[in-house]
Amino acid sequence: AGPGGLLVDFMRWRDAGAPRDAPEARWYLSARSFLTTPATRRELLAVDARRRQGEAGARATLLAPFAGGTGAGLPYFVLRVPRDRLLETALRALAACPDGELKKELKVVFEGEAGVDEGGPRKEFFQLLVPQLFDPIVGMFAPTPGGADGSIDEIFFNAACDWYDTEFELAGLLVGLAVYNSVVLDVRLPRCAYAKLLAAGPGSDARFEPGLEDLAELDGQLARGLDQLLRYEPARDVEAVFCRTFADDDPKAPPGDGALIALSEAGADAPVTGGNRDAYVVALCD
């Protein structure tokens, strides 16, 4: 059918509510993303975003006489931010922004600087924002101990962070806003993070059950140790050799605190043996 046919299929699929399963008479190629390349899917999403932005802008223009001179009457979502308080201002603006405004094309204005955003300030905004948002000092995300290949350039959600519940949602909004406006972000999350987010998404019937492969992306050394535990023979010597129990360091506790979290009802009173080591690894990965 060619690229044009694929675009038509995508638009019809989106207009139908992006169903995962459809009657045979309404089979959509776009519902089977594995049949297209990542570059093709990215371009289709960009086309769809531009269409939605145009519709939102046109709707705002029609309603402008009734908007009372507010930003709701503008065809763009204009975000004004100072360079010295970029992250704080952006999160506060998103928290107060109606959903309808986010559907418009984003225009960024740096306070005290002249110029019209034709794409440059928007890209610069996200380039400056991402390092601040994912900085371990902020506390929302933390660097991984190292993947199976020894890499340490990935980040993951900070399990000890319990003071940024709303900010995590706003951070997701910022990332989504960048994708919606065709801005590529240098965010290095492991694949298991995306699998976890997809499973938790609205309308998802998928269930994310992490395993050793997922753990290896976050902590290669721990994953290798657990793999050795599973393979160790003779199984009757596992308890004496590894000296483990169904308890582990609490990820929400400060480093060196010594607090433990139970991986089973018995917790630290239950030793890991050759008979229950599989259950232990599953519980630890989870």
Side-chain angles (χ1 to χ4, degrees):
L6 182 57
L7 179 58
V8 171
D9 175 85
F10 179 78
M11 291 303 182
R12 289 177 176 173
W13 175 66
R14 294 290 297 196
D15 291 341
R20 297 191 178 188
D21 298 307
E24 187 175 350
R26 295 190 177 184
W27 191 90
Y28 296 104
L29 175 64
S30 300
R32 293 148 181 85
S33 58
F34 58 88
L35 296 176
T36 57
T37 65
T40 299
R41 294 196 295 272
R42 184 167 58 247
E43 183 58 30
L44 288 173
L45 288 174
V47 171
D48 182 56
R50 288 194 292 269
R51 186 191 70 161
R52 291 172 182 266
Q53 290 167 358
E55 291 174 350
R59 189 180 304 111
T61 301
L62 289 174
L63 298 176
F66 311 99
T70 65
L74 298 175
Y76 307 106
F77 171 37
V78 180
L79 187 60
R80 301 180 183 275
V81 292
R83 288 183 178 270
D84 58 343
R85 297 192 310 278
L86 197 66
L87 180 59
E88 173 190 351
T89 305
L91 292 178
R92 188 168 59 247
L94 284 182
C97 182
D99 291 343
E101 287 293 290
L102 297 177
K103 295 180 180 179
K104 301 177 182 178
E105 181 182 356
L106 174 66
K107 298 286 187 181
V108 174
V109 177
F110 290 105
E111 291 184 358
E113 300 181 19
V116 178
D117 186 1
E118 296 295 341
R122 180 171 59 210
K123 291 182 180 179
E124 183 183 5
F125 165 72
F126 284 109
Q127 288 173 350
L128 295 172
L129 184 71
V130 166
Q132 297 181 34
L133 181 63
F134 293 95
D135 191 333
I137 295 179
V138 175
M140 296 171 64
F141 299 88
T144 62
D149 58 354
S151 60
I152 55 173
D153 59 345
E154 292 183 335
I155 56 175
F156 197 65
F157 308 105
N158 183 8
C161 179
D162 57 1
W163 59 90
Y164 273 142
D165 289 344
T166 303
E167 281 75 4
F168 272 114
E169 181 177 354
L170 295 176
L173 271 177
L174 278 172
V175 174
L177 195 62
V179 175
Y180 185 61
N181 286 272
S182 301
V183 178
V184 178
L185 301 180
D186 185 20
V187 179
R188 301 180 181 274
L189 291 172
R191 286 176 297 177
C192 60
Y194 296 104
K196 186 178 180 68
L197 290 172
L198 284 172
S204 173
D205 55 1
R207 183 178 179 182
F208 178 61
E209 297 180 351
L212 271 183
E213 290 185 2
D214 301 304
L215 181 62
E217 295 184 58
L218 304 177
D219 193 333
Q221 183 175 357
L222 175 59
R224 287 191 293 271
L226 293 177
D227 184 60
Q228 292 175 0
L229 169 66
L230 292 174
R231 296 173 180 271
Y232 188 83
E233 294 294 340
R236 62 176 179 275
D237 292 341
V238 166
E239 180 180 355
V241 172
F242 289 89
C243 302
R244 289 177 177 261
T245 66
F246 274 76
D248 192 50
D249 294 334
D250 188 350
K252 296 183 179 180
D257 182 83
L260 298 176
I261 183 172
L263 302 178
S264 68
E265 292 184 3
D269 294 329
V272 176
T273 66
N276 63 18
R277 55 183 170 181
D278 289 309
Y280 169 76
V281 171
V282 170
L284 190 59
C285 289
D286 193 33

